[in-house]
């Protein structure tokens, strides 16, 4: 298992691989790895000769300081986790902020053509500039043939595709299905922070999304949204931050349904002090 903490050494190592015409896949993560990450890594391994997994809690994408401080950091466990998946095949890049940002740990400003003005972008100011900055850096450092991102963060995936298109970056962005626990809760590193009563309550989020999908077959987006809000109002533990039904290409909230478009429902919920997000395709 190769572990690099500095981009210089990583780039040199990858240069030799690319000179042999071997393909490279990149899976960017913030660590505290779980089965959702594993599904991305396995897809990357089946598509590429070599796979780089970056493990980096990116400070510039946290609009909430407390969230950054509390984010789980479990590098030793993550290394074992990747060993178990791959034997010794994976290349790990676990840098410091200084290495990624060359000492200037700050976001660049991006124009994501409005994709960032709703949902996560609206509730987490600056978040997507931080994501764009770090993903662009990682793509420039690793120069992968393909990079893998989860639909769990569907808006992030759309924004990264846009960023790659605008900046003409040569890597192909691959979206991967949401991986769920048996009870339906989308896997997330933040799930580790849920106290037992919140963990028990949290599958309600996906259950509600599935019912919303069913209702969307016959009801307007407004009616479905009202119904979802009502479900959370009467829930004793979970607090809804937003529920939005949006066009899955533009991410613009739907006013009037069109059967030529595809829609997705997006949700953010507080379970105690842990913020959880999820989404579901509606048609
Ligand atoms: P994170 O470490 O949370 O930043 O996630 C790293 C990558 O894994 C992102 O592209 C996420 O969308 C993806 N990911 C996280 N959780 C899941 C999941 N439950 N299913 C699929 N992809 C996921």
């Amino acid at each position: 298992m190769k572990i690099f903490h500095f981009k210089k050494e990583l780039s040199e190592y990858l240069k030799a691989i690319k000179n042999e015409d071997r393909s490279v896949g990149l899976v960017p993560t913030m660590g505290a790895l779980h089965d959702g990450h594993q599904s991305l890594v396995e897809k990357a391994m089946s598509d590429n000769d070599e796979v780089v997994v970056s493990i980096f809690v990116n400070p510039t994408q946290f609009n909430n300081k407390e969230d950054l401080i509390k984010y789980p950091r479990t590098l030793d466990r993550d290394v074992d986790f990747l060993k178990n998946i791959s034997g010794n095949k994976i290349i790990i890049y676990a840098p410091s902020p200084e290495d990624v940002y060359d000492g200037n740990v700050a976001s660049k400003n991006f124009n994501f053509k409005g994709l960032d003005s709703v949902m996560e972008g609206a509730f987490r100011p600056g978040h997507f500039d931080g994501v764009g900055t770090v993903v662009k850096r990682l793509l420039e450092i690793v120069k992968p043939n393909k990079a893998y991102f989860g639909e769990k963060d569907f808006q992030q995936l759309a924004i990264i595709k846009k960023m790659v298109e605008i900046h003409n970056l040569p890597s192909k962005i691959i979206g991967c299905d949401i991986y769920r626990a048996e009870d339906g809760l989308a896997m997330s590193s933040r799930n580790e922070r849920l106290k037992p009563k919140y963990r028990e309550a949290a599958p309600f989020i996906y259950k509600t999304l599935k019912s919303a999908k069913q209702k969307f077959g016959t009801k307007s987006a407004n009616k479905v949204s009202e119904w979802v809000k009502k479900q959370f109002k009467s829930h004793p533990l979970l607090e809804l931050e937003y529920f939005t039904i949006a066009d899955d290409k533009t991410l613009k909230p739907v006013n009037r349904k069109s059967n030529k478009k595809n829609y997705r429902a997006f949700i953010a919920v507080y379970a105690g002090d842990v913020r959880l997000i999820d989404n579901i395709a509606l048609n």
Side-chain angles (χ1 to χ4, degrees):
M1 198 83 146
K2 287 269 173 209
I3 305 179
F4 294 94
H5 297 289
F6 298 100
K7 61 177 179 294
K8 194 165 173 285
E9 279 87 3
L10 173 68
S11 300
E12 268 161 28
Y13 184 78
L14 291 174
K15 213 182 251 171
I17 286 171
K18 283 169 195 155
N19 282 342
E20 290 169 13
D21 246 355
R22 293 170 69 70
S23 62
V24 174
L26 169 66
V27 182
T29 81
M30 297 206 297
L33 300 179
H34 51 67
D35 294 354
H37 296 115
Q38 179 170 344
S39 66
L40 269 64
V41 173
E42 282 173 349
K43 171 105 182 81
M45 289 201 311
S46 76
D47 287 356
N48 299 279
D49 298 319
E50 303 282 347
V51 172
V52 178
V53 175
S54 60
I55 297 177
F56 176 59
V57 181
N58 173 37
T60 65
Q61 72 187 69
F62 284 81
N63 55 313
N64 178 338
K65 279 253 148 54
E66 196 70 0
D67 193 24
L68 172 61
I69 292 164
K70 286 187 178 161
Y71 203 88
R73 289 160 173 87
T74 57
L75 184 59
D76 292 346
R77 208 179 77 192
D78 292 343
V79 171
D80 287 344
F81 185 90
L82 291 173
K83 262 187 201 155
N84 277 338
I85 300 175
S86 73
N88 280 339
K89 265 196 76 180
I90 287 169
I91 302 160
I92 297 176
Y93 176 45
S96 65
E98 286 66 31
D99 188 61
V100 172
Y101 285 91
D102 288 322
N104 179 23
V105 186
S107 290
K108 298 233 159 38
N109 288 323
F110 287 86
N111 179 355
F112 296 119
K113 311 276 180 194
L115 290 174
D116 57 335
S117 61
V118 290
M119 303 184 292
E120 292 303 281
F123 282 90
R124 302 183 66 187
H127 169 66
F128 285 124
D129 277 340
V131 169
T133 306
V134 75
V135 172
K136 186 159 178 281
R137 283 304 283 139
L138 291 170
L139 292 175
E140 287 164 349
I141 293 166
V142 177
K143 300 186 182 66
N145 300 78
K146 295 178 178 163
Y148 297 79
F149 296 86
E151 290 190 346
K152 157 84 171 27
D153 302 282
F154 192 89
Q155 188 176 9
Q156 168 175 284
L157 171 62
I159 279 171
I160 289 166
K161 282 183 176 164
K162 181 60 73 187
M163 191 262 295
V164 164
E165 182 194 314
I166 291 172
H167 293 270
N168 229 341
L169 301 178
S171 305
K172 186 163 190 229
I173 302 301
I174 312 286
C176 304
D177 290 345
I178 302 175
Y179 195 91
R180 299 179 180 283
E182 253 172 45
D183 59 13
L185 178 64
M187 294 272 187
S188 164
S189 307
R190 289 189 170 84
N191 294 354
E192 283 186 21
R193 288 183 43 221
L194 292 169
K195 298 209 175 79
K197 67 174 179 178
Y198 291 109
R199 177 61 189 82
E200 250 168 64
F204 184 79
I205 299 168
Y206 183 52
K207 201 170 141 234
T208 308
L209 284 182
K210 282 194 295 183
S211 303
K213 175 180 179 141
Q214 211 173 23
K215 290 185 190 297
F216 191 68
T218 55
K219 291 187 167 42
S220 71
N222 259 345
K223 281 267 176 310
V224 176
S225 299
E226 276 166 27
W227 178 82
V228 169
K229 279 176 195 154
K230 220 165 116 196
Q231 303 312 299
F232 280 94
K233 260 213 171 102
S234 54
H235 196 287
L237 291 173
L238 303 176
E239 194 188 321
L240 182 66
E241 184 170 59
Y242 67 76
F243 173 83
T244 305
I245 296 178
D247 180 313
D248 78 350
K249 297 276 175 310
T250 64
L251 302 187
K252 287 206 165 54
V254 54
N255 285 324
R256 189 177 276 270
K257 270 197 262 184
S258 150
N259 49 20
K260 292 197 193 85
K261 290 183 173 169
N262 289 325
Y263 297 106
R264 230 168 224 269
F266 298 85
I267 196 165
V269 171
Y270 275 95
D273 64 349
V274 182
R275 186 174 182 278
L276 301 173
I277 60 169
D278 201 348
N279 65 83
I280 192 169
L282 296 179
N283 57 338

